[in-house]
Amino acid sequence: MKDPANPENGSLDDWQLAIRVVAMPADTNAYGDIFGGWIMSQADIAGSTIAIQLAQGRVATVAVKEFRFLAPVLVGDLTELFARLERTGNTSISVEVDVWAQGEPDPGSRRHVAHAVFVYVAVDADGRPRQLAQPATITT
Ligand SMILES: CC(C)(COP(=O)(O)OP(=O)(O)OC[C@H]1O[C@@H](n2cnc3c(N)ncnc32)[C@H](O)[C@@H]1OP(=O)(O)O)[C@@H](O)C(=O)NCCC(=O)NCCS
């Protein structure tokens, strides 16, 4: 797959850097690697940034269509989460998320560590599905 960190691939309709965060010791599992649940949580937040922009308001995560862990994340890794719109429906927004991790101070260690697809639903103040504006477009 193409590298989302390449600025040439970085338009609003393509991969966007949503989160950069250092993986901390508090986020490890029993074996000392970063807990998958922490990565899933970060990925959900990263994907929601696209959904919130598109929905122009509140969204709820309705489904995780795919989540693949490709390589472990280690304590101290600079973790980068990229997100891009996959598709929009009447009320739903599917977002693809890629997670990359890099040890310090070795940029050559950059690894593609996870890939996911989340589905969000635009909701109103009462938490009920809300129609997306058509055509749905990203605004910043
Ligand atoms: C999200 C929620 C408001 C949706 O309400 P709902 O009555 O189930 O909505 P619908 O069945 O009409 O589905 C709404 C949209 O989600 C899509 N959807 C529902 N389940 C889906 C699934 N498993 N996979 C993919 N899309 C799904 C539907 O296709 C529909 O899309 P469309 O309007 O673009 O055609 C409701 O399910 C809810 O509150 N869930 C809990 C959300 C939550 O707490 N998330 C975690 C914290 S954010």
Side-chain angles (χ1 to χ4, degrees):
M1 66 169 291
K2 69 183 178 182
D3 182 351
N6 183 339
E8 290 180 8
N9 297 326
S11 81
L12 275 180
D13 294 311
D14 209 325
W15 292 103
Q16 295 181 61
L17 176 61
I19 297 176
R20 296 181 90 212
V21 60
V22 175
M24 302 297 275
D27 302 315
T28 53
N29 62 21
Y31 310 102
D33 292 331
I34 294 298
F35 180 48
W38 178 82
I39 300 165
M40 294 178 86
S41 153
Q42 297 297 317
D44 188 12
I45 295 168
S48 75
T49 64
I50 298 276
I52 290 166
Q53 279 180 286
L54 265 163
Q56 295 169 27
R58 182 174 170 181
V59 300
T61 311
V62 73
V64 182
K65 281 199 330 200
E66 179 185 334
F67 207 110
R68 175 83 201 277
F69 296 100
L70 301 164
V73 176
L74 309 177
V75 172
D77 277 350
L78 174 62
T79 309
E80 295 181 318
L81 294 100
F82 295 84
R84 73 171 175 187
L85 177 68
E86 186 185 71
R87 68 174 291 275
T88 57
N90 294 321
T91 66
S92 67
I93 301 161
S94 299
V95 181
E96 195 176 357
V97 177
D98 262 332
V99 189
W100 293 71
Q102 169 183 315
E104 294 290 351
D106 180 12
S109 68
R110 193 164 179 275
R111 291 113 50 215
H112 187 195
V113 295
H115 175 262
V117 179
F118 289 85
V119 184
Y120 304 89
V121 174
V123 293
D124 62 20
D126 298 317
R128 288 189 295 257
R130 163 172 69 82
Q131 189 84 21
L132 294 171
Q134 296 296 337
T137 51
I138 294 179
T139 56
T140 54

